[in-house]
mmCIF file of all heavy atoms in Angstrom:
data_model
loop_
_atom_site.group_PDB
_atom_site.id
_atom_site.type_symbol
_atom_site.label_atom_id
_atom_site.label_comp_id
_atom_site.label_asym_id
_atom_site.label_seq_id
_atom_site.Cartn_x
_atom_site.Cartn_y
_atom_site.Cartn_z
ATOM 1 N N GLU A 1309 -7.592 -21.726 -119.354
ATOM 2 C CA GLU A 1309 -7.177 -20.321 -119.701
ATOM 3 C C GLU A 1309 -6.758 -20.385 -121.210
ATOM 4 O O GLU A 1309 -7.038 -19.464 -121.945
ATOM 5 C CB GLU A 1309 -6.077 -19.816 -118.775
ATOM 6 C CG GLU A 1309 -6.542 -19.625 -117.330
ATOM 7 C CD GLU A 1309 -5.374 -19.519 -116.441
ATOM 8 O OE1 GLU A 1309 -4.806 -20.558 -116.073
ATOM 9 O OE2 GLU A 1309 -5.143 -18.418 -116.015
ATOM 10 N N GLY A 1310 -6.039 -21.453 -121.533
ATOM 11 C CA GLY A 1310 -5.613 -21.525 -123.049
ATOM 12 C C GLY A 1310 -6.744 -21.554 -124.045
ATOM 13 O O GLY A 1310 -6.766 -20.784 -124.987
ATOM 14 N N VAL A 1311 -7.803 -22.330 -123.718
ATOM 15 C CA VAL A 1311 -8.928 -22.452 -124.525
ATOM 16 C C VAL A 1311 -9.569 -21.082 -124.715
ATOM 17 O O VAL A 1311 -9.957 -20.585 -125.818
ATOM 18 C CB VAL A 1311 -9.920 -23.464 -124.037
ATOM 19 C CG1 VAL A 1311 -11.324 -23.283 -124.850
ATOM 20 C CG2 VAL A 1311 -9.345 -24.909 -124.356
ATOM 21 N N GLU A 1312 -9.840 -20.359 -123.566
ATOM 22 C CA GLU A 1312 -10.553 -19.120 -123.512
ATOM 23 C C GLU A 1312 -9.726 -18.037 -124.373
ATOM 24 O O GLU A 1312 -10.278 -17.371 -125.181
ATOM 25 C CB GLU A 1312 -10.501 -18.591 -122.049
ATOM 26 C CG GLU A 1312 -11.117 -17.296 -121.870
ATOM 27 C CD GLU A 1312 -11.138 -16.726 -120.494
ATOM 28 O OE1 GLU A 1312 -11.481 -17.551 -119.554
ATOM 29 O OE2 GLU A 1312 -10.687 -15.658 -120.245
ATOM 30 N N GLN A 1313 -8.467 -18.061 -124.283
ATOM 31 C CA GLN A 1313 -7.651 -17.098 -125.042
ATOM 32 C C GLN A 1313 -7.645 -17.417 -126.525
ATOM 33 O O GLN A 1313 -7.761 -16.503 -127.374
ATOM 34 C CB GLN A 1313 -6.196 -16.981 -124.513
ATOM 35 C CG GLN A 1313 -6.154 -16.292 -123.154
ATOM 36 C CD GLN A 1313 -6.680 -14.827 -123.207
ATOM 37 O OE1 GLN A 1313 -6.170 -14.019 -123.868
ATOM 38 N NE2 GLN A 1313 -7.696 -14.525 -122.361
ATOM 39 N N ILE A 1314 -7.477 -18.644 -126.834
ATOM 40 C CA ILE A 1314 -7.483 -19.196 -128.250
ATOM 41 C C ILE A 1314 -8.771 -18.819 -128.890
ATOM 42 O O ILE A 1314 -8.860 -18.330 -130.031
ATOM 43 C CB ILE A 1314 -7.010 -20.590 -128.321
ATOM 44 C CG1 ILE A 1314 -5.607 -20.741 -127.961
ATOM 45 C CG2 ILE A 1314 -7.245 -21.146 -129.725
ATOM 46 C CD1 ILE A 1314 -5.113 -22.253 -127.700
ATOM 47 N N ASP A 1315 -9.895 -19.101 -128.204
ATOM 48 C CA ASP A 1315 -11.232 -18.760 -128.745
ATOM 49 C C ASP A 1315 -11.344 -17.179 -128.987
ATOM 50 O O ASP A 1315 -11.786 -16.885 -130.152
ATOM 51 C CB ASP A 1315 -12.335 -19.166 -127.733
ATOM 52 C CG ASP A 1315 -12.517 -20.669 -127.700
ATOM 53 O OD1 ASP A 1315 -12.038 -21.406 -128.609
ATOM 54 O OD2 ASP A 1315 -13.186 -21.144 -126.797
ATOM 55 N N LYS A 1316 -10.813 -16.490 -128.149
ATOM 56 C CA LYS A 1316 -10.919 -14.967 -128.343
ATOM 57 C C LYS A 1316 -10.044 -14.626 -129.611
ATOM 58 O O LYS A 1316 -10.543 -13.780 -130.435
ATOM 59 C CB LYS A 1316 -10.433 -14.234 -127.224
ATOM 60 C CG LYS A 1316 -10.558 -12.763 -127.254
ATOM 61 C CD LYS A 1316 -10.247 -11.999 -125.958
ATOM 62 C CE LYS A 1316 -10.497 -10.574 -126.117
ATOM 63 N NZ LYS A 1316 -10.542 -9.803 -125.000
ATOM 64 N N GLY A 1317 -8.849 -15.278 -129.745
ATOM 65 C CA GLY A 1317 -8.120 -14.841 -130.771
ATOM 66 C C GLY A 1317 -8.707 -15.286 -132.156
ATOM 67 O O GLY A 1317 -8.695 -14.599 -133.171
ATOM 68 N N LEU A 1318 -9.311 -16.517 -132.175
ATOM 69 C CA LEU A 1318 -9.931 -17.028 -133.375
ATOM 70 C C LEU A 1318 -11.094 -16.110 -133.844
ATOM 71 O O LEU A 1318 -11.288 -15.929 -134.933
ATOM 72 C CB LEU A 1318 -10.377 -18.477 -133.113
ATOM 73 C CG LEU A 1318 -9.235 -19.530 -133.249
ATOM 74 C CD1 LEU A 1318 -9.880 -20.873 -132.825
ATOM 75 C CD2 LEU A 1318 -8.903 -19.594 -134.769
ATOM 76 N N SER A 1319 -11.811 -15.605 -132.782
ATOM 77 C CA SER A 1319 -12.951 -14.735 -133.050
ATOM 78 C C SER A 1319 -12.522 -13.432 -133.774
ATOM 79 O O SER A 1319 -13.255 -12.922 -134.465
ATOM 80 C CB SER A 1319 -13.781 -14.408 -131.723
ATOM 81 O OG SER A 1319 -13.172 -13.611 -130.972
ATOM 82 N N LEU A 1320 -11.315 -12.997 -133.366
ATOM 83 C CA LEU A 1320 -10.728 -11.785 -134.026
ATOM 84 C C LEU A 1320 -10.122 -12.028 -135.384
ATOM 85 O O LEU A 1320 -9.979 -11.033 -136.084
ATOM 86 C CB LEU A 1320 -9.791 -11.117 -133.051
ATOM 87 C CG LEU A 1320 -10.368 -10.596 -131.789
ATOM 88 C CD1 LEU A 1320 -9.149 -10.266 -130.792
ATOM 89 C CD2 LEU A 1320 -11.254 -9.358 -131.952
ATOM 90 N N GLY A 1321 -9.816 -13.171 -135.683
ATOM 91 C CA GLY A 1321 -9.112 -13.577 -136.942
ATOM 92 C C GLY A 1321 -7.632 -13.610 -136.792
ATOM 93 O O GLY A 1321 -7.134 -12.770 -136.050
ATOM 94 N N VAL A 1322 -7.038 -14.631 -137.318
ATOM 95 C CA VAL A 1322 -5.650 -14.868 -137.227
ATOM 96 C C VAL A 1322 -5.057 -15.290 -138.628
ATOM 97 O O VAL A 1322 -5.803 -15.937 -139.388
ATOM 98 C CB VAL A 1322 -5.082 -15.862 -136.159
ATOM 99 C CG1 VAL A 1322 -5.443 -15.273 -134.756
ATOM 100 C CG2 VAL A 1322 -5.834 -17.126 -136.336
ATOM 101 N N LYS A 1323 -3.817 -15.031 -138.889
ATOM 102 C CA LYS A 1323 -3.094 -15.310 -140.070
ATOM 103 C C LYS A 1323 -3.026 -16.928 -140.317
ATOM 104 O O LYS A 1323 -3.200 -17.411 -141.334
ATOM 105 C CB LYS A 1323 -1.801 -14.752 -140.181
ATOM 106 C CG LYS A 1323 -1.073 -14.955 -141.452
ATOM 107 C CD LYS A 1323 0.275 -14.381 -141.406
ATOM 108 C CE LYS A 1323 1.246 -15.228 -140.876
ATOM 109 N NZ LYS A 1323 2.440 -15.691 -140.960
ATOM 110 N N ASP A 1324 -2.793 -17.650 -139.136
ATOM 111 C CA ASP A 1324 -2.556 -19.096 -139.286
ATOM 112 C C ASP A 1324 -3.537 -19.772 -138.274
ATOM 113 O O ASP A 1324 -3.111 -20.301 -137.235
ATOM 114 C CB ASP A 1324 -1.083 -19.455 -138.756
ATOM 115 C CG ASP A 1324 -0.007 -18.864 -139.675
ATOM 116 O OD1 ASP A 1324 -0.197 -18.917 -140.953
ATOM 117 O OD2 ASP A 1324 0.958 -18.296 -139.191
ATOM 118 N N PRO A 1325 -4.856 -19.830 -138.620
ATOM 119 C CA PRO A 1325 -5.742 -20.490 -137.751
ATOM 120 C C PRO A 1325 -5.547 -21.961 -137.440
ATOM 121 O O PRO A 1325 -5.928 -22.475 -136.364
ATOM 122 C CB PRO A 1325 -7.095 -20.257 -138.475
ATOM 123 C CG PRO A 1325 -6.743 -20.067 -139.940
ATOM 124 C CD PRO A 1325 -5.414 -19.349 -140.007
ATOM 125 N N GLU A 1326 -4.861 -22.554 -138.290
ATOM 126 C CA GLU A 1326 -4.523 -23.969 -138.120
ATOM 127 C C GLU A 1326 -3.666 -24.246 -136.931
ATOM 128 O O GLU A 1326 -3.864 -25.180 -136.088
ATOM 129 C CB GLU A 1326 -3.836 -24.712 -139.277
ATOM 130 C CG GLU A 1326 -2.357 -24.137 -139.642
ATOM 131 C CD GLU A 1326 -2.349 -22.897 -140.278
ATOM 132 O OE1 GLU A 1326 -3.387 -22.360 -140.728
ATOM 133 O OE2 GLU A 1326 -1.154 -22.549 -140.626
ATOM 134 N N LYS A 1327 -2.766 -23.267 -136.522
ATOM 135 C CA LYS A 1327 -1.950 -23.355 -135.242
ATOM 136 C C LYS A 1327 -2.914 -23.121 -134.089
ATOM 137 O O LYS A 1327 -2.721 -23.804 -133.130
ATOM 138 C CB LYS A 1327 -0.859 -22.297 -135.381
ATOM 139 C CG LYS A 1327 0.208 -22.758 -136.456
ATOM 140 C CD LYS A 1327 1.269 -21.653 -136.569
ATOM 141 C CE LYS A 1327 2.304 -22.073 -137.623
ATOM 142 N NZ LYS A 1327 3.283 -21.035 -137.744
ATOM 143 N N ALA A 1328 -3.830 -22.247 -134.146
ATOM 144 C CA ALA A 1328 -4.771 -21.931 -133.069
ATOM 145 C C ALA A 1328 -5.626 -23.273 -132.761
ATOM 146 O O ALA A 1328 -5.705 -23.655 -131.576
ATOM 147 C CB ALA A 1328 -5.630 -20.809 -133.448
ATOM 148 N N PHE A 1329 -6.138 -23.824 -133.883
ATOM 149 C CA PHE A 1329 -6.912 -25.019 -133.731
ATOM 150 C C PHE A 1329 -6.090 -26.163 -133.151
ATOM 151 O O PHE A 1329 -6.468 -26.995 -132.235
ATOM 152 C CB PHE A 1329 -7.589 -25.521 -135.075
ATOM 153 C CG PHE A 1329 -8.835 -24.743 -135.296
ATOM 154 C CD1 PHE A 1329 -8.687 -23.742 -136.368
ATOM 155 C CD2 PHE A 1329 -9.961 -24.836 -134.694
ATOM 156 C CE1 PHE A 1329 -9.741 -22.926 -136.728
ATOM 157 C CE2 PHE A 1329 -11.104 -24.067 -134.992
ATOM 158 C CZ PHE A 1329 -10.965 -23.025 -135.941
ATOM 159 N N PHE A 1330 -4.912 -26.363 -133.620
ATOM 160 C CA PHE A 1330 -3.967 -27.337 -133.052
ATOM 161 C C PHE A 1330 -3.662 -27.195 -131.504
ATOM 162 O O PHE A 1330 -3.899 -28.057 -130.688
ATOM 163 C CB PHE A 1330 -2.621 -27.342 -133.827
ATOM 164 C CG PHE A 1330 -1.595 -28.372 -133.265
ATOM 165 C CD1 PHE A 1330 -1.754 -29.636 -133.670
ATOM 166 C CD2 PHE A 1330 -0.620 -28.029 -132.338
ATOM 167 C CE1 PHE A 1330 -0.829 -30.639 -133.211
ATOM 168 C CE2 PHE A 1330 0.277 -29.016 -131.939
ATOM 169 C CZ PHE A 1330 0.229 -30.298 -132.319
ATOM 170 N N ASN A 1331 -3.393 -25.837 -131.132
ATOM 171 C CA ASN A 1331 -3.133 -25.622 -129.707
ATOM 172 C C ASN A 1331 -4.379 -25.718 -128.869
ATOM 173 O O ASN A 1331 -4.328 -26.312 -127.813
ATOM 174 C CB ASN A 1331 -2.644 -24.204 -129.550
ATOM 175 C CG ASN A 1331 -1.266 -24.093 -130.050
ATOM 176 O OD1 ASN A 1331 -0.434 -25.095 -129.985
ATOM 177 N ND2 ASN A 1331 -0.795 -22.889 -130.459
ATOM 178 N N ARG A 1332 -5.573 -25.502 -129.388
ATOM 179 C CA ARG A 1332 -6.795 -25.688 -128.706
ATOM 180 C C ARG A 1332 -7.125 -27.140 -128.592
ATOM 181 O O ARG A 1332 -7.622 -27.616 -127.599
ATOM 182 C CB ARG A 1332 -7.941 -24.979 -129.464
ATOM 183 C CG ARG A 1332 -9.248 -24.877 -128.547
ATOM 184 C CD ARG A 1332 -10.209 -24.049 -129.133
ATOM 185 N NE ARG A 1332 -10.876 -24.731 -130.236
ATOM 186 C CZ ARG A 1332 -11.884 -24.217 -130.983
ATOM 187 N NH1 ARG A 1332 -12.336 -23.029 -130.776
ATOM 188 N NH2 ARG A 1332 -12.429 -24.897 -131.960
ATOM 189 N N GLY A 1333 -6.716 -27.914 -129.616
ATOM 190 C CA GLY A 1333 -6.851 -29.413 -129.484
ATOM 191 C C GLY A 1333 -5.989 -29.906 -128.349
ATOM 192 O O GLY A 1333 -6.378 -30.763 -127.655
ATOM 193 N N LEU A 1334 -4.695 -29.376 -128.161
ATOM 194 C CA LEU A 1334 -3.938 -29.861 -127.123
ATOM 195 C C LEU A 1334 -4.632 -29.510 -125.767
ATOM 196 O O LEU A 1334 -4.613 -30.368 -124.843
ATOM 197 C CB LEU A 1334 -2.540 -29.126 -127.173
ATOM 198 C CG LEU A 1334 -1.582 -29.468 -128.390
ATOM 199 C CD1 LEU A 1334 -0.370 -28.584 -128.289
ATOM 200 C CD2 LEU A 1334 -1.139 -30.981 -128.214
ATOM 201 N N ALA A 1335 -5.118 -28.281 -125.690
ATOM 202 C CA ALA A 1335 -5.775 -27.890 -124.469
ATOM 203 C C ALA A 1335 -7.035 -28.688 -124.215
ATOM 204 O O ALA A 1335 -7.240 -29.230 -123.068
ATOM 205 C CB ALA A 1335 -6.059 -26.460 -124.521
ATOM 206 N N ASN A 1336 -7.850 -28.907 -125.223
ATOM 207 C CA ASN A 1336 -9.039 -29.712 -125.003
ATOM 208 C C ASN A 1336 -8.663 -31.236 -124.619
ATOM 209 O O ASN A 1336 -9.383 -31.739 -123.737
ATOM 210 C CB ASN A 1336 -9.905 -29.688 -126.280
ATOM 211 C CG ASN A 1336 -10.757 -28.468 -126.258
ATOM 212 O OD1 ASN A 1336 -11.233 -28.032 -125.202
ATOM 213 N ND2 ASN A 1336 -10.888 -27.886 -127.463
ATOM 214 N N GLU A 1337 -7.637 -31.764 -125.147
ATOM 215 C CA GLU A 1337 -7.206 -33.063 -124.703
ATOM 216 C C GLU A 1337 -6.623 -33.022 -123.292
ATOM 217 O O GLU A 1337 -7.053 -33.920 -122.573
ATOM 218 C CB GLU A 1337 -6.168 -33.579 -125.734
ATOM 219 C CG GLU A 1337 -5.830 -35.006 -125.426
ATOM 220 C CD GLU A 1337 -5.066 -35.722 -126.525
ATOM 221 O OE1 GLU A 1337 -4.761 -35.023 -127.604
ATOM 222 O OE2 GLU A 1337 -4.835 -36.943 -126.439
ATOM 223 N N GLY A 1338 -5.999 -31.924 -122.932
ATOM 224 C CA GLY A 1338 -5.612 -31.873 -121.639
ATOM 225 C C GLY A 1338 -6.688 -31.740 -120.533
ATOM 226 O O GLY A 1338 -6.628 -32.194 -119.478
ATOM 227 N N LEU A 1339 -7.827 -31.166 -121.030
ATOM 228 C CA LEU A 1339 -9.006 -31.058 -120.254
ATOM 229 C C LEU A 1339 -9.801 -32.286 -120.204
ATOM 230 O O LEU A 1339 -10.845 -32.451 -119.425
ATOM 231 C CB LEU A 1339 -9.903 -29.849 -120.765
ATOM 232 C CG LEU A 1339 -9.314 -28.485 -120.489
ATOM 233 C CD1 LEU A 1339 -10.080 -27.456 -121.212
ATOM 234 C CD2 LEU A 1339 -9.308 -28.127 -118.967
ATOM 235 N N GLY A 1340 -9.426 -33.300 -121.027
ATOM 236 C CA GLY A 1340 -10.240 -34.531 -121.123
ATOM 237 C C GLY A 1340 -11.382 -34.551 -122.014
ATOM 238 O O GLY A 1340 -12.067 -35.483 -122.187
#
Side-chain angles (χ1 to χ4, degrees):
E1309 293 164 285
V1311 168
E1312 178 184 313
Q1313 291 298 302
I1314 291 167
D1315 285 347
K1316 184 170 184 169
L1318 282 168
S1319 73
L1320 293 170
V1322 292
K1323 184 182 88 147
D1324 298 316
E1326 68 278 0
K1327 292 177 181 177
F1329 284 107
F1330 180 81
N1331 288 334
R1332 194 173 72 181
L1334 293 173
N1336 279 321
E1337 191 165 359
L1339 291 168

